[in-house]
Structure formats: C-alpha cells, structure tokens
C-alpha cells in the first residue's frame, strides 16, 4: 500500500512539473502581429568619408535578412507599419596596440550607421540613433585581404543591434 501511495505521489509530482512550462521567444521579438504586419527597409547609402563600394548593399540586405528570418513581417517597398531608413556615416580605420617602435600591431575597422525608425502603429517608439560596431585585425595584413570578412561580421552585429533596438523590447 505504501508503495502505491509513493508511486502515485511521484506520478502526480511529475505531471505537475511537466504541466508548468515557461515559454521563451528565441528571436526576442515582441511584435503585436494583429497591428504590425509589414516593414519597409529603405536603402542605406554610404555617406562615409572613406567608402567601401559593396558596403551599402551588403548592409541593407543584411538588415532586411534579419527581419525576414526572425519575424513574420512582410517586407514592402513603401509605407510599412514599421520603417527603417538611414545612412552609413562612418567607415574608419584606427591604429591600436602601438608598439615600442611606434608602429601599430593591430588595426580597428569601425562602421557607423545612422538609423531613423518609424513605428506607424505606436509613434512613441520612433527614434533616430547611431549604431557602431568594429573588428580588429593584425596590422601586418592588408585591409583588402580581410575587408570582406570583417564587413560581413560587422554588418551582422549592426543588424542585431538595430533589430534589438526596434522590435526586441527586452
């Protein structure tokens, strides 16, 4: 009788534990899809003093990609419920980790973008903000040899930052 009682108690406990679940959104988006259905992402022109020609298209496509992959929003050309526009304002190289001989052993590539975000369903969320990300590389390497890889990584990080600032609402 005691064994049946213990088994029943354990079964009840297991059922209670499995019935209580916690739900997480892995993409971090907190979008009310009953109100927000579309997003417009305008081209981000490169207005930085130093220009890397493929960057404008790479950045714009990277930004579109994160919203398409991580939300149910439809990408539209104009008048989306959410809208992102802006420009690339910085593409800068800086010497870091200067050695005894006054030569740099590392170089930092920083990309900065200015973003204007409009939420047509909730104007209180609108903002204009700059976002920056950087990567370092060995100064003995030519920028041309690592530029594509560095830009890919930086664009991904910038897209994540912008995504989190607009729809993640942590």
């Amino acid at each position: 009788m005691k064994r049946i009682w213990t088994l029943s108690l354990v079964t009840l406990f297991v059922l209670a534990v499995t019935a209580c679940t916690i739900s997480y959104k892995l993409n971090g988006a907190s979008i009310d899809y009953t109100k927000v259905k579309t997003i417009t992402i305008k081209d981000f022109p490169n207005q930085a003093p130093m220009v890397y020609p493929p960057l404008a298209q790479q950045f714009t496509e990277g930004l579109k990609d994160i919203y398409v992959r991580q939300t149910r929003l439809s990408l539209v050309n104009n008048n989306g419920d959410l809208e992102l526009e802006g420009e690339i304002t910085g593409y800068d190289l800086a010497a870091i980790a200067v050695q005894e001989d006054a030569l740099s052993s590392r170089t930092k590539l920083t990309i900065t973008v200015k973003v204007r975000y409009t939420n047509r369903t909730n104007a209180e969320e609108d903002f204009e903000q700059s976002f920056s990300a950087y990567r370092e590389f060995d100064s003995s390497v030519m920028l041309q040899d690592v530029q594509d890889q560095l830009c890919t990584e930086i664009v991904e990080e910038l897209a994540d930052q912008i995504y989190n600032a607009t729809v993640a609402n942590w």
Side-chain angles (χ1 to χ4, degrees):
M1 183 71 162
K2 188 175 182 180
R3 185 179 177 121
I4 292 173
W5 175 253
T6 304
L7 185 59
S8 297
L9 191 58
V10 168
T11 302
L12 184 61
F13 177 75
V14 169
L15 287 173
V17 169
T18 58
C20 299
T21 60
I22 298 173
S23 174
Y24 292 102
K25 293 180 183 177
L26 295 179
N27 66 10
S30 58
I31 300 170
D32 181 354
Y33 288 107
T34 61
K35 296 178 183 176
V36 179
K37 297 182 183 332
T38 60
I39 186 167
T40 298
I41 300 175
K42 304 263 177 132
D43 289 339
F44 278 68
N46 194 341
Q47 297 180 346
M50 188 168 129
V51 174
Y52 176 54
L55 184 59
Q57 181 177 1
Q58 183 181 12
F59 176 76
T60 302
E61 292 304 315
L63 198 53
K64 288 177 181 179
D65 185 56
I66 194 169
Y67 285 90
V68 168
R69 279 187 297 111
Q70 295 190 16
T71 71
R72 293 183 284 158
L73 297 173
S74 297
L75 193 60
V76 296
N77 291 331
N78 294 304
N79 300 318
D81 297 322
L82 306 179
E83 183 173 285
L84 287 166
E85 61 182 330
E87 53 274 342
I88 299 167
T89 58
Y91 186 86
D92 304 303
L93 291 170
I96 56 174
V98 178
Q99 303 170 357
E100 297 172 3
D101 55 7
L103 296 176
S104 171
S105 65
R106 306 280 298 159
T107 302
K108 179 168 74 169
L109 172 64
T110 304
I111 298 175
T112 305
V113 293
K114 187 175 195 177
V115 175
R116 287 175 294 284
Y117 172 69
T118 305
N119 182 334
R120 288 190 170 77
T121 64
N122 184 0
E124 292 177 7
E125 293 183 0
D126 295 359
F127 67 80
E128 184 170 328
Q129 181 178 338
S130 289
F131 296 87
S132 291
Y134 69 90
R135 291 292 182 274
E136 297 176 10
F137 63 98
D138 195 286
S139 293
S140 65
V141 176
M142 296 295 296
L143 175 61
Q144 297 86 313
D145 296 337
V146 295
Q147 191 165 223
D148 289 337
Q149 178 63 35
L150 296 175
C151 286
T152 298
E153 293 173 12
I154 293 171
V155 163
E156 186 176 309
E157 182 177 336
L158 287 168
D160 282 341
Q161 288 179 26
I162 295 164
Y163 177 86
N164 288 334
T166 56
V167 297
N169 294 334
W170 290 87

